[in-house]
Amino acid sequence: MLRQAASRRTLVHLSRSLFPRATRLAPATLPAPGRRHNSSSSSRVTAQSAILTKPTEKDPYAYMPGFGNRFSTEAVPGTLPDAQNSPQKCKYDLYAEHVTGASFVTPRSEAQTSWLYRIRPSVAHQGFKPLPDNPDLEHNFSSLNPRVHVSPTQLAWHPFDIPSEPTTFVEGLKTLCGSGEPTLREGVAFHIYAANKSMENEAFCNNDGHMMILPQQGRLDIQTEYGHLMARSGELVVIQRGMRFKVAFPDGPSRGYIQEIFGSRFELPDLGPLGTHGLANPRDFETPVASFDVDQSPWKIVYKVCGRLFACTQEHTPFDVVAWHGNYAPYKYAMEKFVNVGSISKDHIDPSIFCVLTAKSKTANHALTDFLIFSPRWDVASHTFRPPYYHRNAATEFMGLLYGVYGGRSDEFQPGGASYETGFCPHGVSYDEFKAATEAELKPGRVHEGTIAFMFESSLMLPLTDYAIKRSGKLHEHEPKMWDNLNAQFLNHLDQVNADLKKAGMLGVTPKVEL
């Protein structure tokens, strides 16, 4: 019996890529002066491979660098078929499985697809059963839905609690706001997760949209069909729609933020006059190499379909992909690598200069969502009010703090909390911040040192969920009194104003006095 059990669950972790780590060749011997160069001599140095990132103490995995590349990776050398995708018989009797992230007739430049070569195909399962609804997980943001609400004012949440009861990543999902819904193929949903229990023989698959995951507390050890990713606070992970993954917590209880998009995909923003480099550079994104387990034990796969949860069981691991190639794959990015740009003369540039990734909406030139970050940089503008100016934007803003201190907010803005401003809601810094900024000596200085804050910004209106408004226990409105001291200082200059008006041949102005 012990032998039978062992044969059913033999875990083997293998990982090798068609891009093994580059190796430096032996030092070359240069020909003596005047001696004829021999092209076949040891004076030639040629790379033996492309580059993989190197594992570290905090991240034991290697990755292939690049954004949107067509990668090829195999954990067993020679597994990928040569010059075709679906041979009559795959090597080692593996099964070829095609995953498409876009329409078959999508222009080639926008096509998203991968071929996976696995021990057992995904279709080998024992059927689906509905799971109980998670009342804190919302997918329908229509104004007709009684579970969503609107707010004209600024809102904020203190850091969300991590549960005391054992809770997995999937069980700890809670929705704060969003727009649209999955069946419309356009929309967004902003969630948080708070969990303390690693997933064992269980995986999750989101059929509704792509998920950008931002851990705030504790690393995430994410195993996907494509390989492993380790993510810490300050890194983002994108798990594309339809990909199966599981999450473990190597540092214990964890909390973070999630942005989910329906009907679009994350892209790098165009750089316009910036040219070819800057902001988030493509080479700094990292995609996992192939890795597989040999595991024939029972597994449960939880699927999210139109906001509803279903589960299927199967007698094998979903993480059995021996090799894969394509450009539809998960990836991660360390936000400390972001290349900040800004004004080096005067005034502010629009916050779009802080955009890491964007997703297009069906309306031209209006983003479904922009993902912006505020990280350490220089502030050098002369004759300029340096904090964010008072503004009313067409976009709705949802903001969170991964680590550090983000000054000038209108509440106790802490890591693990959040803030929200609906479209055209007026907002800006407190009076104290305003006064300090108008009187400060303008020297070049560092801002946001040791900090990464982020913003999900959408052109859509974002109704709020029952959980956000009624059940989180962390909601608080911004205190309007923080702006009470923004008095009409213009009135202190009426004598000079009237003198200038008279000089221009215009009538003076008299303040209206309440009777």
Side-chain angles (χ1 to χ4, degrees), residues 71-190:
F71 298 104
S72 295
T73 175
E74 51 188 14
V76 178
T79 298
L80 288 174
D82 184 37
Q84 66 175 127
N85 298 316
S86 184
Q88 183 181 22
K89 191 176 181 66
C90 294
K91 193 168 184 178
Y92 307 119
D93 282 331
L94 295 172
Y95 295 89
E97 187 171 281
H98 191 206
V99 181
T100 60
S103 164
F104 292 124
V105 295
T106 296
R108 179 171 287 199
S109 61
E110 300 177 14
Q112 298 277 294
T113 180
S114 286
W115 282 91
L116 283 55
Y117 301 90
R118 59 193 320 147
I119 296 173
R120 295 194 67 184
S122 301
V123 73
H125 61 77
Q126 298 168 338
F128 290 85
K129 294 182 180 179
L131 293 174
D133 286 340
N134 175 351
D136 296 333
L137 188 62
E138 186 57 68
H139 71 285
N140 181 355
F141 300 96
S142 166
S143 59
L144 300 177
N145 181 355
R147 300 188 303 273
V148 299
H149 313 273
V150 296
S151 172
T153 190
Q154 297 173 306
L155 299 175
W157 293 264
H158 295 299
F160 298 95
D161 290 334
I162 294 175
S164 56
E165 296 298 318
T167 304
T168 66
F169 175 84
V170 177
E171 295 165 341
L173 294 173
K174 301 178 186 297
T175 311
L176 296 177
C177 59
S179 185
E181 60 118 352
T183 64
L184 300 177
R185 302 306 308 134
E186 181 166 67
V188 295
F190 300 157

Side-chain angles (χ1 to χ4, degrees), residues 68-71 99-102 111-116 206 209-210 226 239-243 265 287 324-330:
N69 297 16
R70 293 188 178 273
F71 298 104
V99 181
T100 60
Q112 298 277 294
T113 180
S114 286
W115 282 91
L116 283 55
N206 183 3
H210 307 305
Y226 298 75
I239 306 291
Q240 317 257 35
R241 179 184 175 214
M243 295 179 179
R265 62 185 176 91
T287 296
W324 64 268
H325 71 86
N327 66 346
Y328 193 60

